């Protein structure tokens, strides 16, 4: 502790408590939940505070009025923030429960600072505004062109604590009932611009997550431009943090990348108009020594599917700040007097049990409080998809023949992928998109007749669409050339021969709702694969005035979310699957509407090990669709065994994507067996706890385990990447079992105790490159 090292001019500013620290912990409150408490400057004094309410009764959010400290408690986590005497919101602490935090003893105050460094640059702030000497990246930045104001100074004016969690209007958001969670809103105001700022925090009783969002309202008299309004901002004390991000490319999505945080700003972001293949809206900070199973980890995940930004910045004093939200490069929102702007939500998760603990909390949160589909808890049908078998060259006969063959294998749903539509402009390759009328030359019985013939085989029918797009050669574009994203006098770049519809326009949203409804009503269609295959260029809207053009991207997302909400509510029994050129929009925003998403167009078992392990770092395994396809693999040219292809796909949401007519009798029998087994155990992948036993990216022998929450059953997938000779393969120690219980392991006659399985471990048997073992484990007593 180097309190004496502080330069005197900073002493009042740095961590000085609003009031003394003599308050007896545990004073109970007299502010009823739901009340708004307003503070005048004078009210932030010890005298008034002690006569006012002391602490809100309702947990997990407590306000200590004397110390002006909010404490947000999860299951094994606390988050503390404080209002300073001058109304600043200070971040105090986030981590394992500690009770009371003493601001003047925090590590932020431990180093000497030069007198020329502004006071706000060296304190932990909760939601940093811009322009007053904090040179770190801000959470909020606004511009008032009338008065020329660039600076903002948000001071706390009140707060409100409510049971449950409000849902966001127009944006996907987590949900919780009154008993599961509690929400704090801290109200701030900038007197000069007249902007009101609400910071929302929801904590769940049974987990260690905080959901945050921000809302700004223009109470002034001139239009204000919002350049940045982050969803989550958190300051961390100096340490040697490591950053984890999920980065990649098309057909190589969500690879785990770790890096040491040094001075500077790491910006993990997308400017594509979609969350994208390259970066996922997720980052994690690892404290020194944190591993898969141990140590403190802070994860951040944005509930948004468009251009985003996640910054991890270390300043000269080694203070670290994380700021996550809409990408400011893609935003400049005009807020007229009386209007409000709502940021998306972001999830912050604390794990004291390493990365694995963070992963399991995110899985449970997304499964229980994000995915809305009625399919969330239902067994997901095992699909066979036409794409890798036939490309767009499909017709009634091919699809029905596929269904006949697939039926014997145990397939439950046939997906009619790309190529079924277009009368005037038929789809033959990547040529014509946007006219969602069945091509009657290919499908003379229409979608109704096709569904009947598939249903006659005892299977459901699903269909593919790419609704957000239009091709230059389409009846839709001929009629509405101004419905696309574009800029006057600029030729729109036809990436993949297609343009993006401007979903910010209400008439485009309504058109899509009607058109997709017509497709779903055309026959007994029980599944929709919603694809999106290009990124935005020449970004602008022919619908908006010049000074609102930088609203185009976010308006697009709001429009898309409206369409998805209306359709998923109108067709609650249809299983919607998200897709974006593979896994180019695999994010929590999409999960609200799509309980499953196509993980990648790369179906090679070797590549999929990494893609799925990276995706499962954040997203529940059953949300990842994974298809067994032909070899050599179309993307990487590799040949892997049928067994390994099945095992990799069975550790997620299993499907097949091949022409079953080409399978030998042996292969058919094997596939039938695997599919039947998957039906018995898919509940473990869907509801079980997921553990990465050995790291997929760095080990030659990755392994994954799914354990029933009651501990009665488990599945262990073990893989070998490269075969070698005279190399000892380490035993696979299981986790999360009951030491004393006895377990029956498939392929092993004698029962083994939990202690044995977790300390001695299993010995997988491998032969070739990309080999696999699958163990089914059942508790006996
Ligand atoms: C991209 C998707 O990722 C594929 O699965 C397939 O549906 C094609 N689009 C069809 O064009």
């Amino acid at each position: 502790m180097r309190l004496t090292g502080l330069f005197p001019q900073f002493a009042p500013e740095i961590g000085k408590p609003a009031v003394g620290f003599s308050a007896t912990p545990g004073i109970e409150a007299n502010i009823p939940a739901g009340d708004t408490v307003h503070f005048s400057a004078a009210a932030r004094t010890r005298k008034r505070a002690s006569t006012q309410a002391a602490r809100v009764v309702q947990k997990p959010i407590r306000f200590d009025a004397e110390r002006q400290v909010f404490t947000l408690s999860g299951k094994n986590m606390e988050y503390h923030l404080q209002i300073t005497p001058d109304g600043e919101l200070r971040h105090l602490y986030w981590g394992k429960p500690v009770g009371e935090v003493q601001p003047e003893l925090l590590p932020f105050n431990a180093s000497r600072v030069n007198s020329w460094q502004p006071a706000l640059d060296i304190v932990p702030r909760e939601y940093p505004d811009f322009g007053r000497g904090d040179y770190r990246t801000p959470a909020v930045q606004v511009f008032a062109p009338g008065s020329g104001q660039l600076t903002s100074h948000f001071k706390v004016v009140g707060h409100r604590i409510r049971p449950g969690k409000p849902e966001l209007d127009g944006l996907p958001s987590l949900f919780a009932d009154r008993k599961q969670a509690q929400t704090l809103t801290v109200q701030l105001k900038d007197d000069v611009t007249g902007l009101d700022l609400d910071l929302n925090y929801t904590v769940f009783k049974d987990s260690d997550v905080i959901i945050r969002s921000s809302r700004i309202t223009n109470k002034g008299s001139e239009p204000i431009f919002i350049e940045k309004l982050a969803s989550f901002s958190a300051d961390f004390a100096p340490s040697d943090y490591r950053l984890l991000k999920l980065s990649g490319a098309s057909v190589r999505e969500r690879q785990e990348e770790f890096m040491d945080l040094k001075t500077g700003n790491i910006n993990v972001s997308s400017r594509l108009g979609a969350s994208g293949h390259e970066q996922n809206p997720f980052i994690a900070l690892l404290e020194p020594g944190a591993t898969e199973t141990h140590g403190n980890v802070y994860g951040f995940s944005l509930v948004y599917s468009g251009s985003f930004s996640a910054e991890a910045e270390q300043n000269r004093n080694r203070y670290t700040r994380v700021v996550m939200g809409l990408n400011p490069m893609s935003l400049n929102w005009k807020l007229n007097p009386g209007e409000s702007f709502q940021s998306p939500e972001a999830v912050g998760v604390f794990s004291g049990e390493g990365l694995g603990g963070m992963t399991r909390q995110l899985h449970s949160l997304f499964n229980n409080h994000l995915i809305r589909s009625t399919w969330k808890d239902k067994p997901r049908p095992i699909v066979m998809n036409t794409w890798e078998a036939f490309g767009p060259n499909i017709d009634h006969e091919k699809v029905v023949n596929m269904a006949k063959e697939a039926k014997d294998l145990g397939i439950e749903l046939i997906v009619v992928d790309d190529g079924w539509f277009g009368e005037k402009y038929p789809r033959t390759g990547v040529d014509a998109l946007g006219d969602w009328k069945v091509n009657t030359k290919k499908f003379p019985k229409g979608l109704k007749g096709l569904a009947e013939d598939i249903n006659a085989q005892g299977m459901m029918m699903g269909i593919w669409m790419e609704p957000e797009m239009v091709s230059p050669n389409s009846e839709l574009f001929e009629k509405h050339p101004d419905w696309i994203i574009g800029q006057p006098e600029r030729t729109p770049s036809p990436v993949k021969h297609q343009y993006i519809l401007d979903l910010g326009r209400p008439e485009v949203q309504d058109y899509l709702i009607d058109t997709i409804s017509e497709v779903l009503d055309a026959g007994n269609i029980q599944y929709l694969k919603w694809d999106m295959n290009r990124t935005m260029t020449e970004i602008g809207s022919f619908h908006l005035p010049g000074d609102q053009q930088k609203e185009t991207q976010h308006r697009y997302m709001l429009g898309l979310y409206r369409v998805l909400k209306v359709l998923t509510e109108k067709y609650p029994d249809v299983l919607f699957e998200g897709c974006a050129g593979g896994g180019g929009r695999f994010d929590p925003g999409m999960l609200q509407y799509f309980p499953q998403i196509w993980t990648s167009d790369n179906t090679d078992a070797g590549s999929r090990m990494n893609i799925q392990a990276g995706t499962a770092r954040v997203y529940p395994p059953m949300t990842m669709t994974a298809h067994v396809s032909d070899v050599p693999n179309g993307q990487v040219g590799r040949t892997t065994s049928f067994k390994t292809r099945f095992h990799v796909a069975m550790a997620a949401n299993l499907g097949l994507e091949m022409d079953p007519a080409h399978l030998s009798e042996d292969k058919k029998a094997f596939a039938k067996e695997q599919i039947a087994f998957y039906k018995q155990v898919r509940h473990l992948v869907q509801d079980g706890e997921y553990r990465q036993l050995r790291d997929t990216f760095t080990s030659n022998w990755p392994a994954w385990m799914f354990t029933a929450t009651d501990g009665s059953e488990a599945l262990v997938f073990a893989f070998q990447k490269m075969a070698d000779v005279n190399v000892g393969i380490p035993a696979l120690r299981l986790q999360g079992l009951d030491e004393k219980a006895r377990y029956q392991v498939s392929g092993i006659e004698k029962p083994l105790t939990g202690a044995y399985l977790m300390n001695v471990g299993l010995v997988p048997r491998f032969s070739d490159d990309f080999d696999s073992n699958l163990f089914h484990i059942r508790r006996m007593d």
Side-chain angles (χ1 to χ4, degrees):
M1 231 63 65
R2 296 282 306 276
L3 286 175
T4 48
L6 290 171
F7 282 71
Q9 64 268 41
F10 297 122
E13 194 43 57
I14 303 167
K16 189 185 174 207
V19 289
F21 288 89
S22 54
T24 316
I27 302 170
E28 289 299 298
N30 56 9
I31 303 175
D35 271 13
T36 301
V37 184
H38 288 280
F39 301 103
S40 66
R44 283 189 291 274
T45 65
R46 180 203 295 264
K47 195 163 174 254
R48 290 282 291 278
S50 59
T51 54
Q52 214 188 29
R55 196 172 282 217
V56 174
V57 175
Q58 222 173 339
K59 292 182 173 182
I61 298 175
R62 300 180 301 283
F63 179 60
D64 181 335
E66 187 169 359
R67 297 173 58 237
Q68 298 283 293
V69 169
F70 297 98
T71 304
L72 284 58
S73 302
K75 195 175 171 198
N76 195 24
M77 170 202 80
E78 276 176 9
Y79 187 100
H80 300 231
L81 51 152
Q82 183 189 36
I83 307 161
T84 67
D86 49 6
E88 297 277 341
L89 200 55
R90 242 344 98 76
H91 178 74
L92 292 187
Y93 173 77
W94 187 16
K96 286 185 182 156
V98 289
E100 193 172 298
V101 168
Q102 303 210 11
E104 80 281 17
L105 299 180
L106 287 173
F108 287 94
N109 301 337
S111 64
R112 285 172 179 272
V113 287
N114 279 330
S115 56
W116 50 262
Q117 194 164 356
L120 283 182
D121 208 27
I122 47 169
V123 289
R125 302 179 72 202
E126 187 58 25
Y127 196 76
D129 48 23
F130 175 79
R132 298 188 292 122
D134 178 356
Y135 294 109
R136 294 164 290 177
T137 188
V140 53
Q141 194 165 3
V142 296
F143 174 51
S147 58
Q149 281 292 329
L150 294 160
T151 300
S152 47
H153 186 168
F154 286 100
K155 290 185 195 168
V156 179
V157 290
H159 78 269
R160 186 176 176 211
I161 297 171
R162 279 170 285 176
K165 178 183 179 303
E167 285 160 29
L168 298 189
D169 198 15
L171 280 162
S173 56
L174 290 115
F175 51 84
D177 66 31
R178 294 169 66 86
K179 290 198 183 122
Q180 292 167 322
Q182 208 178 15
T183 299
L184 163 72
T185 302
V186 183
Q187 297 147 336
L188 300 99
K189 189 168 193 63
D190 177 34
D191 289 331
V192 176
T193 53
L195 288 174
D196 280 0
L197 174 65
D198 281 359
L199 303 181
N200 299 308
Y201 299 77
T202 298
V203 269
F204 291 80
K205 284 180 184 158
D206 61 354
S207 64
D208 297 331
V209 299
I210 299 179
I211 316 298
R212 285 183 59 179
S213 73
S214 323
R215 186 179 181 85
I216 205 160
T217 302
N218 188 350
K219 295 267 180 70
S221 52
E222 60 162 315
I224 306 276
F225 284 86
I226 301 172
E227 296 174 344
K228 188 173 186 182
L229 187 74
S231 305
F232 208 117
S233 168
D235 279 4
F236 292 86
S239 188
D240 293 320
Y241 296 105
R242 276 203 306 153
L243 176 81
L244 167 64
K245 59 199 189 75
L246 300 176
S247 307
S250 164
V251 303
R252 191 169 45 78
E253 293 92 338
R254 289 171 294 284
Q255 310 289 303
E256 286 191 345
E257 283 183 7
F258 290 90
M259 60 201 295
D260 290 338
L261 269 194
K262 299 285 180 202
T263 318
N265 185 311
I266 306 293
N267 190 0
V268 178
S269 66
S270 159
R271 296 171 213 128
L272 308 168
S275 48
H277 298 90
E278 288 80 359
Q279 307 290 353
N280 198 254
F282 159 83
I283 58 171
L285 276 197
L286 286 75
E287 282 191 359
T291 64
E292 184 72 25
T293 49
H294 294 95
N296 289 349
V297 174
Y298 300 84
F300 301 87
S301 168
L302 187 69
V303 188
Y304 193 63
S305 314
S307 297
F308 70 92
S309 159
E311 297 166 272
E313 187 180 79
Q314 203 182 85
N315 79 347
R316 51 197 153 191
N317 309 74
R318 297 179 73 234
Y319 296 171
T320 296
R321 172 171 292 169
V322 169
V323 173
M324 178 179 245
L326 297 171
N327 193 329
M329 273 197 70
S330 311
L331 184 81
N332 196 12
W333 191 279
K334 186 178 181 187
L335 199 66
N336 289 309
E339 289 177 351
S340 294
F341 182 82
Q342 171 67 53
S343 84
E345 283 184 353
V347 175
V349 49
F350 168 73
S351 164
E353 295 175 355
L355 279 166
M358 177 202 74
T359 292
R360 284 188 292 283
Q361 294 209 58
L362 285 169
H363 289 182
S364 155
L365 183 78
F366 291 167
N367 275 332
N368 299 315
H369 300 284
L370 178 66
I371 301 171
R372 286 197 174 275
S373 168
T374 57
W375 281 93
K376 186 177 60 118
D377 300 317
K378 288 195 237 167
R380 305 296 168 81
I382 300 169
V383 309
M384 182 166 273
N385 182 303
T386 57
W387 181 248
E388 285 204 29
F390 310 122
N393 303 317
I394 46 173
D395 56 39
H396 184 93
E397 205 188 328
K398 273 186 189 165
V399 176
V400 175
N401 284 343
M402 177 183 250
K404 283 179 183 157
E405 294 273 353
K407 175 189 172 185
D408 285 343
L409 303 181
I411 298 290
E412 295 161 315
L413 189 148
I414 298 289
V415 182
V416 184
D417 210 287
D418 196 348
W420 59 267
F421 49 88
E423 284 278 62
K424 181 173 173 193
Y425 297 102
R427 174 84 157 171
T428 55
V430 288
D431 43 4
L433 263 186
D435 300 334
W436 300 104
K437 293 268 180 322
V438 69
N439 180 328
T440 46
K441 285 202 185 72
K442 291 175 165 184
F443 293 92
K445 291 180 165 183
L447 294 179
K448 186 167 187 290
L450 182 64
E452 281 165 3
D453 288 354
I454 292 173
N455 293 164
Q457 300 304 318
M459 267 172 287
M460 296 182 266
M461 174 175 138
I463 201 148
W464 176 96
M465 291 182 80
E466 194 177 348
E468 297 158 68
M469 301 293 153
V470 65
S471 303
N473 47 336
S474 67
E475 292 179 69
L476 181 64
F477 187 69
E478 281 171 357
K479 215 160 142 197
H480 298 290
D482 60 330
W483 274 14
I484 63 166
I485 298 271
Q487 293 254 270
E489 297 181 55
R490 310 241 171 235
T491 311
S493 304
V495 180
K496 276 196 95 199
H497 309 285
Q498 62 198 53
Y499 304 137
I500 305 188
L501 289 172
D502 181 4
L503 266 76
R505 297 175 79 126
E507 64 272 40
V508 175
Q509 298 161 23
D510 292 342
Y511 165 81
L512 283 185
I513 292 167
D514 291 346
T515 308
I516 296 164
S517 299
E518 276 168 32
V519 171
L520 291 175
D521 293 339
N524 185 18
I525 297 172
Q526 286 162 289
Y527 160 111
L528 176 64
K529 178 175 171 187
W530 183 299
D531 204 349
M532 194 285 290
N533 280 310
R534 69 155 282 185
T535 50
M536 292 184 184
T537 56
E538 295 85 25
I539 302 170
S541 169
F542 297 107
H543 177 68
L544 293 173
D547 62 353
Q548 287 183 266
Q549 288 298 310
K550 279 193 86 178
E551 297 175 16
T552 305
Q553 286 204 39
H554 186 55
R555 284 185 182 274
Y556 179 95
M557 291 315 305
L558 295 176
L560 174 62
Y561 288 139
R562 180 187 157 231
V563 172
L564 294 180
K565 185 171 191 299
V566 170
L567 286 169
T568 49
E569 284 175 1
K570 184 171 174 194
Y571 297 96
D573 296 328
V574 170
L575 172 57
F576 285 80
E577 176 165 327
C579 176
R585 206 163 56 180
F586 206 126
D587 58 62
M590 284 293 133
L591 279 188
Q592 173 114 94
Y593 313 97
F594 301 150
Q596 55 192 55
I597 300 177
W598 182 227
T599 317
S600 175
D601 271 351
N602 187 342
T603 48
D604 169 68
S607 305
R608 272 288 181 137
M609 286 178 198
N610 287 356
I611 294 169
Q612 289 177 202
T615 308
R617 173 58 72 207
V618 174
Y619 304 99
M622 197 43 97
T623 64
M624 309 188 288
T625 46
H627 294 178
V628 176
S629 65
D630 266 336
V631 285
N633 179 267
Q635 297 291 354
V636 295
R638 185 163 32 223
T639 297
T640 53
S641 74
F642 207 30
K643 180 182 74 167
T644 302
R645 278 178 276 155
F646 260 102
H647 286 172
V648 171
M650 284 159 77
N653 187 330
L654 173 72
L656 275 75
E657 190 144 343
M658 55 173 53
D659 185 353
H662 294 163
L663 287 174
S664 67
E665 288 310 311
D666 281 359
K667 287 251 166 74
K668 278 185 189 161
F670 183 79
K672 199 170 169 173
E673 205 178 275
Q674 296 301 307
I675 288 169
F677 177 67
Y678 183 76
K679 286 179 183 168
Q680 282 171 36
V681 295
R682 61 185 156 189
H683 64 278
L684 292 172
V685 179
Q686 187 153 358
D687 307 322
E689 285 188 345
Y690 165 84
R691 285 183 174 78
Q692 193 174 218
L693 299 178
R694 259 200 307 250
D695 186 67
T696 312
F697 290 90
T698 54
S699 170
N700 194 41
W701 300 285
W704 311 322
M705 181 171 179
F706 297 86
T707 314
T709 43
D710 66 0
S712 59
E713 230 184 328
L715 276 185
V716 175
F717 295 86
F719 302 103
Q720 166 167 277
K721 289 178 183 167
M722 290 296 131
D724 214 334
V725 284
N726 296 333
V727 172
I729 300 175
L732 191 54
R733 289 183 177 159
L734 308 192
Q735 293 170 20
L737 299 177
D738 179 345
E739 285 193 349
K740 295 208 172 69
R742 288 180 317 140
Y743 295 88
Q744 189 70 61
V745 181
S746 59
I748 299 176
E749 228 170 84
K750 250 179 118 182
L752 299 167
T753 62
Y756 182 94
L757 289 166
M758 291 193 289
N759 293 296
V760 180
L762 289 171
V763 184
R765 305 279 171 212
F766 296 121
S767 53
D768 305 333
D769 290 352
F770 297 101
D771 200 359
S772 64
N773 282 198
L774 171 52
F775 302 97
H776 185 201
I777 296 166
R778 268 168 293 198
R779 188 179 169 137
M780 298 175 71
D781 40 34

